[in-house]
Each structure stands twice: as C-alpha cells, then as structure tokens.
Amino acid sequence: MPHTMSRPPVNPPTLADVAERAGVSRQTVSNAVNNPDLLREDTLRRVQQAIAELGYLPNRAARNLRTRASHLIGLPIKAAEEGTANAAMDRFVHSLVDSSREAGYHVLLFSGTRTGKAEDELPAYDDLLRSTAVDAFVVTDTYLGNPQAAWLHQRRAPFVAFGRPWNDDAARHPWVDVDGAAGADMATSHLIERGHHRIAWIGWRKDSLLGEDRRAGWSRAMRSRDIPTAGLASRVEDTVASGKEASAVLLDEAQPSAFVCASDTLAMGVLHTLAERGLRAGQDVAVTGFDDSQVAQTVPPGLTSVRLPLEEVAIEVVKALEGLLHTPPVVTPGVLLTPTLVVRGSS
Amino acid sequence: MPHTMSRPPVNPPTLADVAERAGVSRQTVSNAVNNPDLLREDTLRRVQQAIAELGYLPNRAARNLRTRASHLIGLPIKAAEEGTANAAMDRFVHSLVDSSREAGYHVLLFSGTRTGKAEDELPAYDDLLRSTAVDAFVVTDTYLGNPQAAWLHQRRAPFVAFGRPWNDDAARHPWVDVDGAAGADMATSHLIERGHHRIAWIGWRKDSLLGEDRRAGWSRAMRSRDIPTAGLASRVEDTVASGKEASAVLLDEAQPSAFVCASDTLAMGVLHTLAERGLRAGQDVAVTGFDDSQVAQTVPPGLTSVRLPLEEVAIEVVKALEGLLHTPPVVTPGVLLTPTLVVRGSS
DNA sequence: ATCCTCACTTGGAACGATCCAGAGCGCACG
DNA sequence: CGTGCGCTCTGGATCGTTCCAAGTGAGGAT
C-alpha cells in the first residue's frame, strides 16, 4: 500500500561522483573546474558534460578548508541613525554585493554589539579573522582615532577602506574615496551661476575631517570668484535640528540667499527653517545637500544634492580587494573619485 | 647581519594544538567547545584555559565541512529604487544581522543579475544551495506569482518569509508579517480623533495584496464610525509622481481634509501637491504615510507614519529559522505583528 | 572477587575539496 | 634504440573539525 513518504534529502553530487561518471580521476575534475587549460580538449568536454548532467557545484566548505580561504568579504554595518537622511550605505552595500559577485566573492554582514561603539566591533573582526570566516574586510570609517584601521593593519588582515586615512601618513592600506571638496565646489559654483552671491555653509564640527574637506570646496569656489565668506559658515552636529537652528541664525545674522550643506540631513534642517518662515526653497532661498539620499529625491520641491558615485566606489573597492588577495598581494594606491551634482527644485 | 624580514603569517591554532597543550585528545577539546557537560569539571577548566591561552577559535570551514552546514543565512537584496522613500530594508537588514548573530549565524548578502527581475535570482539561490554556501534563506517578496517561495519549497530549501503567502493556501513555510490593516486603521482613527471626517485613501493598484490589506484598515476605521468612503479612494503606482497626481485629483473632486497613504512615497507625493497649492501639511490638510522611513522623519513638518516593528520581525524570523534548522525541523506557524503610529507635524 | 554500570575520554574515519609528486605516453633528438 | 621532455592524468596525503564506536577506570551490586 503506497503512502506518502518524505524523500530523504539527497546529498549533492561530489567531485568523486563526477569523476566516476566521466571516467576520470577526482583531480582531473578539479582541474576541469579550476584549470581547464591543463586538460585535453576532449577530456574537458567529457568532464564538463558530466558536471552539467549531475548539476555539480564544488562544496564551499571543502574548498575553503583546503585553500584556507572563505571567498567572503566582511562588511560591518552600523545602525542607520534614526532621524538622519543618510541612506548612502544602502546603495553602497548593493553595489558592493554586485561587484563582489563578479569577482567570485560574497558579502558577509556583521556587527559588533548593539552599543554601536567602534571599539566594541574589534572582537567581531577578530573572531571572523581567527575562525577564517572571511578573507578580507571593507571598512567605512577611517578617521583618525578609529581603531579599526590600525588594528587590522597590525593584525595583517587584508582590508580596503571606503574613506581616506585622513591624517594618518603611516597608513599603507588601499582606500577609495570621493572628492568631497569637488562636490561642494560644484554645488557652490552651481549656485553662483544661478546668480547667488551670499552663499552660506552649514557643515560639521571641525574635528570631522570629511566635513572640513567638503567645506574647503565651498570656500574654494567662493574665493576663486573673490566672493567674501566671512560670517557665512556654521559648523554643527549632523542632525536635522542642528541644521534648522544653524540656518535660522545665519538667516538672521548674515542674510544669505543660498545654503550649501555638508549633508542632506542638514539641508533638511534648512528646509524646516524655510517652511517655518514661509520662505519657499528654490524660489526665495536656494539649498543644496550632500549624498543624494532618498530624502533629497522625494522632498518637495526636490533637493539639489551632490551624488556620490557609490557604484564606482564599490568597483574600485573590489579591485583593490582582488589585489590584496592575489598571491603575491598587490597593494593598490588610493583612488579618489569625483561626485556629480543632481539639480532639483531647491536651487 | 640582521635585516627587516616579513614574518611569515602564522597559522591560527587548531584543535590539535589545544589538545596537546591541555594534555587531552582532540575530541575532548571539541567536546569542551560544543558539549561542555560531557567533561569533568577540572578537565573542562584545563581545556578552557588552554583555549584562552592560545586564542583558539574553531576553523569555520572545517566545521562546516564536517557538519554539512555553513551557519550562514542568505539574504537577497534588491536594488533600492531611486526616487522612492522605501528605506525599510536597511533597518530590517541591520536587525536581522543582530538577531542572527545571537543565534550563531551570519548574514550573507547576494543578488541575482543586475536586471532585478525575480526569475533571474533563482540561479543565485540555486548556486548557494548546491554549493552549501548557506543553510537557509530569508525572502521578502511572497506575493503570488513570485516564483521564489514555490521554487524554494520544491527544492526543500529551508526559508522563512518576511511577508504573508497572501493567496497561496498551499504554502506551508514559516512567515512573519506586519498587520498592515491595523496600521492603516490606526492612522485613520488617529485622524478621525483629530476631527477629520473626509479622509482619503491613496494606495496601490488592486493587484497588490499588501496594498489591499492596508486599504482594508482605512475602510474598516471609516465604516466602524459610519463615515462614508465613496469617492475617497485612489489606487496608483508607488511613486512620488503618482501620489502627487492622485492627491491633486482627489482634492479637486472630493475635498478631503486628510490623506492616509499606503506608503511614505505616496505621502511625499501628497506633500508635493500641498506645496504647489500653498497648503500647509498638518494645518490645512493632514497626511499620514507608511513605513516610517528617513524621509518621514526628516521632511518638514515631519510626516506622521506607520512604523513597522522590524526589530521584532527580525527576531521572529530568526526564531523560525532556528526551528527549521533544528533536527528534527520544527515548522513554526506564521506570526503577525502589529505596527505603531508615529505622530508628527503632518497630522 | 567478579561483573556491570556509568561517567568520562579516546583514536580512527569521514566530510569533499586541492596540493603534490609521480606515472604513462607520445614524440623528437642524439 | 635509448633518453629526455612535455603533455595529461592519477593516487595518496592533507586541510581541521565532528561522528562513531570503543576504551578506561572508579564504584556499586551480586
């Protein structure tokens, strides 16, 4: 009497299965997969057919064990802060996954503890390294004082940074970054071309080197046209509330007709101030942001913003990783990419 | 003559190293790590000390090979659509990484081809399964017609869905979802309490079951108070432009004093219309969104939005995964969570 | 004293791939 | 005709862990 029975899960075919079917040795199948040039043409075809017929795919764990590699790239993720407009990570992660796949790697996400403090992440890096769970890391915050870069270097762990080793001349690791000064310059020049003269800057506190870089772009654009900048700059925390306050103060004290902001978050703060005062963004006062977040894309009337070429960043990061993981390792120099300006209704 | 030489990379300690140091066999060390109860107390201490001294951590690849598991959970990521406000994925991913870590798993990201079509992802799933690169999947789009769920089921691949198997009664996989109707009901009831009567709905096209679920919450809240809904509903694409158009038409033809939207993206469209007509969100017309995206959090004057409990979703998803990967597998029933309403200036 | 049980520990085999050294063979060369 | 070389292909060892079956010794039951 037949009855429904659950099929036992069949183990996937192994190298040995393929070898038997093709009438060759295990090693030959292995070569067919990894070094096809070593095989005679007809043997290769025979093996490939056996592989196709059985639907063979090498077992990752076995390969990893033998080759002492995991073909995984570790990417730490920080909690996206609530109330900010920083959606850049999302786009970058996706690009990185795509680029990695083309290079034969997958991306493994991890986080330290829930605290979010940088030091707390080190044990997580350490565990992944020691258990050979990942081959390399991609790190994203490389300001000085961030222990990760130095720690990884000392550990001789392969890693590529998205972000310059700002003030660490001793850093010898590959990095990829976006020219923030160029971005701010583009935004500022764009506003000047639109006839603005009194253009204010709202950026981050002075200890943010990334912020100072962007700020340099604003002052460069102004100075190259002999436009005074005195009293037009403000440096605050990266929150909407700070942007709101700073812009209110600037409007009262310096009467700017336009704002260039170091982030979309700050730019949103400016929009808050404008809304409160009944000023129309883009018509009464121009505003530009940074990062081209979803916020910039959707807020009325559209926020002009500097867009980071995250797809290219990911490609360069993976290139650098491939160099590091190559034998012998090839340490690529830093790469600096140029952002673009997306003009919308706010300017 | 001494000269700087690069230290050869030292191999991490293995079980055998620990065993030798502790004066026990490999198996005993393995037990100390995986089944401490089996050891006598003093032996356990001795082994643990040796482990600590050497900084031993089990080699992932070897363990994976032997146990036929990878301790990785595969998460497909779709490209975040440009121009929408959907940042939910980001929060969910982070929560999932945290929950997974606590359960001893890591999250592996992958994507199909760059096309973004659902069918194109199947080979990616297949490869990961066949190469035993992941133990299970978390999938996020389970509407009917999406081939993933059925395919995974047929493949006997363990997976948990974030999202109900809407119209597939045959589905027998674990899922976790958020009660969209309850969310829309909360938003609508909130508006009614604020004195609104003519409350419009802007949702997705009728073939979106997720959208119809949320819509049901709106109409339920209205009907339970005998408020007429005729002419107050609109169903469009999930884009800012569609939300803008739909709200303009509704304002002209039905004079609503408030809008309940199926997404923050649509709500942003409403804000566009209000801005164009010189109406103030929250004062002249109320608006609520869905998802509590960064856009909702930052746009002036703040968009009231239904917030999905993604942290809890992640926890439940991991619980269900643990059940599936348990031996014997425990198939948990579906879990439906309730969202919360975050009230901001727009209502 | 012998046997049995129980708690604990052990060595060998296995997971499935790649590394390595060498075998077989055909061919050109001296 | 012997030798050596290059091209293919092979079998055994190995990566580091866990599974499995069996070994050891103390203590109680017979």
Side-chain angles (χ1 to χ4, degrees), chain B residues 88-303:
Chain B
M89 203 59 186
D90 201 45
R91 242 176 83 216
F92 176 61
V93 170
H94 195 274
S95 303
L96 189 66
V97 169
D98 277 340
S99 303
S100 300
R101 177 165 43 75
E102 283 166 21
Y105 287 87
H106 282 282
V107 173
L108 179 138
L109 292 183
F110 70 99
S111 67
T113 60
R114 285 175 187 282
T115 64
K117 282 172 46 192
E119 305 87 86
D120 295 337
E121 281 198 339
L122 291 186
Y125 282 92
D126 199 32
D127 288 356
L128 289 172
L129 267 183
R130 291 217 315 268
S131 62
T132 58
V134 302
D135 292 345
F137 294 99
V138 173
V139 304
T140 50
D141 289 331
T142 51
Y143 56 88
L144 189 71
N146 183 330
Q148 287 152 20
W151 187 87
L152 286 169
H153 194 263
Q154 181 213 327
R155 267 285 192 169
R156 302 171 167 276
F159 74 101
V160 176
F162 175 13
R164 274 161 277 187
W166 285 101
N167 44 6
D168 184 0
D169 295 332
R172 287 288 171 273
H173 61 264
W175 55 263
V176 182
D177 205 356
V178 178
D179 190 343
D185 190 332
M186 291 165 74
T188 309
S189 298
H190 160 73
L191 292 171
I192 294 172
E193 283 165 21
R194 294 279 159 116
H196 290 279
H197 208 76
R198 293 196 64 73
I199 304 172
W201 168 259
I202 301 182
W204 299 320
R205 292 175 317 172
K206 212 160 188 170
D207 53 359
S208 161
L209 295 159
L210 175 59
E212 288 305 287
D213 180 45
R214 295 183 178 181
R215 184 182 186 284
W218 164 76
S219 70
R220 181 171 82 198
M222 297 288 273
R223 263 181 229 151
S224 73
R225 293 171 180 83
D226 291 324
I227 305 177
T229 58
L232 283 169
S234 179
R235 285 189 264 228
V236 297
E237 295 280 328
D238 188 36
T239 65
V240 174
S242 305
K244 184 176 170 184
E245 279 177 47
S247 54
V249 172
L250 281 165
L251 276 176
D252 290 340
E253 299 183 352
Q255 292 89 37
S257 71
F259 289 90
V260 176
C261 302
S263 74
D264 283 350
T265 304
L266 291 171
M268 291 307 290
V270 176
L271 293 191
H272 274 260
T273 296
L274 298 186
E276 277 191 357
R277 300 191 174 194
L279 296 169
R280 287 161 305 170
Q283 302 191 26
D284 303 320
V285 174
V287 185
T288 72
F290 224 109
D291 288 345
D292 195 33
S293 60
Q294 292 187 321
V295 176
Q297 297 169 13
T298 57
V299 67
L303 177 64

Side-chain angles (χ1 to χ4, degrees), chain A residues 11-74:
Chain A
N11 286 339
T14 72
L15 210 53
D17 299 329
V18 177
E20 192 183 3
R21 183 174 195 111
V24 295
S25 71
R26 293 191 320 276
Q27 184 57 42
T28 300
V29 179
S30 176
N31 285 335
V33 174
N34 300 308
N35 302 85
D37 324 339
L38 293 181
L39 300 202
R40 214 170 42 207
E41 199 180 339
D42 61 326
T43 314
L44 179 59
R45 261 203 304 275
R46 203 151 33 101
V47 174
Q48 283 175 335
Q49 182 172 352
I51 288 177
E53 286 169 4
L54 292 175
Y56 168 77
L57 224 58
N59 179 301
R60 285 300 243 254
R63 169 178 284 184
N64 292 348
L65 174 59
R66 193 60 180 102
T67 60
R68 296 167 175 280
S70 67
H71 298 276
L72 290 179
I73 294 168

Side-chain angles (χ1 to χ4, degrees), chain A residues 164 166 177-188 201 204 209-220 260-262 289-291 306-309 336-340:
Chain A
R164 274 162 276 186
W166 286 101
D177 204 356
V178 177
D179 190 342
D185 191 333
M186 291 166 75
T188 309
W201 168 257
W204 297 320
L209 295 159
L210 175 60
E212 288 306 286
D213 180 44
R214 293 183 179 180
R215 183 182 187 283
W218 164 75
S219 71
R220 180 172 81 199
V260 177
C261 302
F290 224 109
D291 287 346
V306 176
R307 184 180 174 90
L308 309 184
L336 193 60
L337 300 172
T338 306
T340 54

